[in-house]
Amino acid sequence: MEHKIQILLACLVSQVLLVAVAEDVECVPGFQEKNYELEYQSGFRKEESILKVNFDDCHGNENVNFEVSHPAFIVDEDGSVVPSRDVTDSGSTLFIHGRTAFADDMAEIKIHGAPERRLTLKEILGLGQSPAFMRTKRSLLAPPMFVPENQRAPFPKNVGKVISSEMPDSALFKLTGKGADQEPKGIFYINKNTGEVLVSRSLDRERIAFYHMQVETTDLSGKTLEGPVDVEVAIIDQNDNRPIFKGGPHLGEILEGSPTGTTVMRMTAYDADDPNTDNAVLRYNIVKQTPDKPSPNMFYIDPEKGDIVTVVSPALLDRESMPSHKYELEIVAKDMAGSDVGLTGTATATITITDKNDHAPEFTKPLFQATVNEGVTGVIVNLTVEDKDDPTTGGWRAVYSIINGNPGQSFEMNTNAQNNQGMLTVVKPLDYEISAFHTLLIKVENEDPLVPDVAYGPSSTATVQVTVMDVNEGPIFYPDPMRVTRHENIPIGSGIATLNATDPDSLQHQTIKFAMLKDPAGWLSVHPVKGTVNTTAILDRESTYVKDNTYTAIFMATDNGSPPATGTGTLVITLEDGNDHAPSLYPSVARVCEDSKDLSVVLLGGRDEDISPNADPFKFELGKQAGLEKTWKITKVNNTHAQVSLLHNLKRANYNLPIIVTDSGMPPLSNSTEIKVQVCTCKKNKMDCSAADSLHMSLAMLICFSFITLLCL
């Protein structure tokens, strides 16, 4: 009794001190953070801290005692939560009780991903716990409690009882935590007077398997007298969930001819019941196979693992002889380790028999025939083959090749991707006069190699006989194009060339007539029988119809066959240049300032429609009028340009300066051009070349003016 009074006084003093401190520094005694979370990573290692809790009694934390709901964990002086051994059964929740003379509080650690923990018998009875973590003179005991799931009414039902050996008559029991006063609320409640814990409704273990609550005793004012201590309620599993095959469709493949015992696929069912009981121990069985040929038991399933394996011989697992390439197996998974009282779940496994290239392609007949007109190209015959392998694989797709009879590479084999037929194509026109018959040897293979014990046989080759039909072919010009070189300006009627055309139908003895097909400039004519080409106009190399010194005309030759056939040939005439164009000058206008210190007037350029040697280098000189050399000077810069300069400044006016330019032809041609020189007034970077009030001086006046100037000197 004296001990209780001391505790009561200590609690009263602590409450007064806590209020005073809270008013001064706003310190709240207890765990400063009551909820912690961490991830479960396959367990916790001995003496490695999992996290640190923050406990403060606002009076220096002297003589702090910590208790952890799991006996393998302790809390160091600095608040680190440390396992005393390797722990894999931590459970999903840990509770830490911290207590000093000034504070008594609880903290919760949520461990995400941890498996639920089963209590040992020692823990249930409270045995084997370390004395350092046993409460001194604890009088409140909450043994573990168990509730079967899916209980039927009436409710409430008694779950267990909390015992207090030193509970005053006026004290009350109080139950808190998830399932009591926290969501899901109202599942459990406690008789305030007797400590009996009751459940209010039916529970589902697969929804919540454990409930972690706390119980304490309080006085009538709600003040805690003892506790809290943990109350753990485990939900006892019932076999109320059928096995379920998740996902789907469930597909597997097996290569035809595979050895007996080859694994095809694995079927896995899931049972939501307690995995530590027979309620979730599954056994597998095949109850139906469709189709049931060539054997009703082609596959076997491992009852425990769910592995499906073949049980028929490789010879029976022949895709080409089986009634179907897909087999459906009805799989049943039963819990309770397959006992009669177990619940079942079903699924369908679809197994595809995949192909291997164990059949060579074979031609449908040994001889194929084709007829083709000479001179044409394209597909002339389709070769058909048979192959028993899967049409979606390279073991069915055919590859054709010509192994004999194609020395000129006139033929080519291709595969029709739609029907796998071989298309024999003429890629170079055939000539009846050279060969009227061709015999080809064709081979067919698969894209994928055959399996080692299968080879290509005689039926994988076939003969193709090609008959070439004679047609009236047009005459052929030779050479084509015909190239000649002629001087431009040769006399009209001059001979240019004699066309040569032959008829490939040598056995028909046909005649040929020539005609003009294209003569852009109208310069030529052709003799219809002889094929001689003559000029009807002057050939001009500088004409717009001439490109890169060449003129092109097209002729046609027609035989007298039935129907007549026509061929075309090209004549290319390279024109040699004659000096028939005098050079010209540019620019034709120049400007200069009347007071300019730079007496350069203009850089003249020469150009000539002729080409070397009838063009540059050009000769530049002043006109023949007397006195020009007293005022003007012309200086050659290079083969095509010359610089015109003044010898002294001129007054503002327009002047016409004659310049003679001569090419290098034999004989040379000259051209005299007047260059208009404008002498302008220049002020502030502006040039005024208006000649309205200025004197326009002709060459005669300029000579007279120069002569008077000389007399004055």
Side-chain angles (χ1 to χ4, degrees), residues 586-592 598-605 632-635 637 641-646 657 659 675-677:
Y586 66 93
S588 60
V589 178
R591 291 179 175 181
V592 64
D598 182 6
L599 298 180
S600 297
V601 176
V602 64
L603 179 66
L604 293 178
W632 307 90
K633 182 176 68 172
I634 187 165
T635 306
V637 176
H641 289 77
Q643 178 69 50
V644 176
S645 304
L646 282 167
L657 176 62
I659 302 293
I675 305 300
K676 182 178 180 181
V677 180

Side-chain angles (χ1 to χ4, degrees), residues 61-383:
N61 279 358
E62 292 185 3
N63 300 321
V64 181
N65 289 321
F66 291 103
E67 291 180 314
V68 184
S69 59
H70 193 296
F73 290 88
I74 61 174
V75 181
D76 290 341
E77 293 180 358
D78 64 349
S80 296
V81 181
V82 181
S84 59
R85 59 173 173 83
D86 290 340
V87 177
T88 57
D89 61 340
S90 62
S92 60
T93 307
L94 295 177
F95 293 94
I96 301 177
H97 183 200
R99 185 173 64 170
T100 68
F102 303 100
D104 192 336
D105 200 8
M106 295 283 292
E108 180 181 12
I109 301 175
K110 280 288 186 185
I111 305 175
H112 297 291
E116 295 294 343
R117 176 171 172 258
R118 288 184 168 276
L119 299 175
T120 64
L121 181 61
K122 288 185 178 181
E123 289 175 304
I124 294 175
L125 300 177
L127 302 176
Q129 298 184 24
S130 171
F133 303 101
M134 295 289 291
R135 279 223 179 154
T136 306
K137 299 183 178 180
R138 169 165 283 182
S139 61
L140 192 61
L141 177 63
M145 303 175 189
F146 302 90
V147 180
E149 66 172 332
N150 304 324
Q151 292 189 100
R152 297 182 178 180
F155 289 98
K157 294 183 182 292
N158 188 285
V159 175
K161 187 174 183 179
V162 179
I163 302 170
S164 178
S165 60
E166 299 181 5
M167 181 177 173
D169 294 339
S170 60
L172 302 174
F173 290 97
K174 181 180 179 181
L175 185 66
T176 59
K178 295 181 179 180
D181 61 344
Q182 299 177 24
E183 293 295 340
K185 294 181 180 180
I187 295 178
F188 298 97
Y189 64 91
I190 193 169
N191 187 309
K192 296 181 179 180
N193 298 314
T194 65
E196 290 182 339
V197 179
L198 300 102
V199 62
S200 64
R201 57 180 180 265
S202 178
L203 302 179
D204 183 1
R205 188 204 70 86
E206 286 70 42
R207 186 165 173 237
I208 301 177
F210 290 90
Y211 290 86
H212 303 277
M213 298 173 286
Q214 296 80 42
V215 66
E216 60 183 15
T217 59
T218 66
D219 58 17
L220 295 177
S221 66
K223 179 183 175 182
T224 300
L225 299 178
E226 179 72 12
V229 298
D230 292 338
V231 177
E232 291 194 356
V233 179
I235 311 305
I236 301 174
D237 185 44
Q238 291 187 345
N239 190 23
D240 57 346
N241 289 277
R242 293 180 178 276
I244 297 175
F245 291 89
K246 293 184 179 180
H250 306 282
L251 306 176
E253 293 183 350
I254 182 68
L255 183 66
E256 65 171 328
S258 295
T260 302
T262 300
T263 300
V264 181
M265 60 188 297
R266 170 171 288 187
M267 295 293 289
T268 303
Y270 300 87
D271 196 311
D273 291 320
D274 189 348
N276 296 309
T277 67
D278 282 351
N279 296 339
V281 177
L282 306 182
R283 294 294 182 266
Y284 299 93
N285 186 32
I286 300 174
V287 298
K288 185 179 180 181
Q289 172 191 300
T290 306
D292 59 358
K293 304 294 183 181
S295 168
N297 299 305
M298 295 179 61
F299 303 95
Y300 166 80
I301 189 168
D302 187 298
E304 295 185 5
K305 297 180 181 179
D307 289 340
I308 298 176
V309 299
T310 60
V311 294
V312 294
S313 66
L316 288 179
L317 203 62
D318 181 13
R319 181 183 176 280
E320 288 73 33
S321 63
M322 300 174 83
S324 174
H325 303 151
K326 291 184 183 293
Y327 283 78
E328 291 187 349
L329 306 180
E330 185 178 337
I331 309 298
V332 172
K334 181 182 285 190
D335 60 19
M336 298 299 292
S339 69
D340 293 340
V341 297
L343 302 178
T344 61
T346 62
T348 298
T350 302
I351 299 175
T352 301
I353 312 301
T354 58
D355 185 46
K356 64 180 180 180
N357 194 14
D358 54 351
H359 293 85
E362 296 180 347
F363 285 101
T364 56
K365 55 185 179 180
L367 176 64
F368 294 85
Q369 293 180 328
T371 301
V372 59
N373 288 336
E374 65 172 331
V376 300
T377 59
V379 178
I380 59 173
V381 66
N382 291 307
L383 311 185

Side-chain angles (χ1 to χ4, degrees), residues 428-496:
K428 293 181 181 180
L430 303 176
D431 191 339
Y432 171 83
E433 285 71 28
I434 295 177
S435 177
F437 298 96
H438 297 267
T439 300
L440 307 176
L441 187 60
I442 311 298
K443 181 179 181 180
V444 63
E445 298 176 302
N446 287 134
E447 285 185 2
D448 293 346
L450 296 172
V451 296
D453 54 342
V454 177
Y456 294 103
S459 296
S460 295
T461 59
T463 301
V464 180
Q465 292 180 346
V466 180
T467 301
V468 183
M469 304 299 294
D470 187 26
V471 296
N472 186 24
E473 302 171 85
I476 298 175
F477 282 83
Y478 180 83
D480 189 23
M482 176 180 286
R483 299 181 183 275
V484 298
T485 301
R486 295 291 183 269
H487 284 281
E488 66 172 338
N489 303 320
I490 61 176
I492 296 175
S494 298
I496 298 297

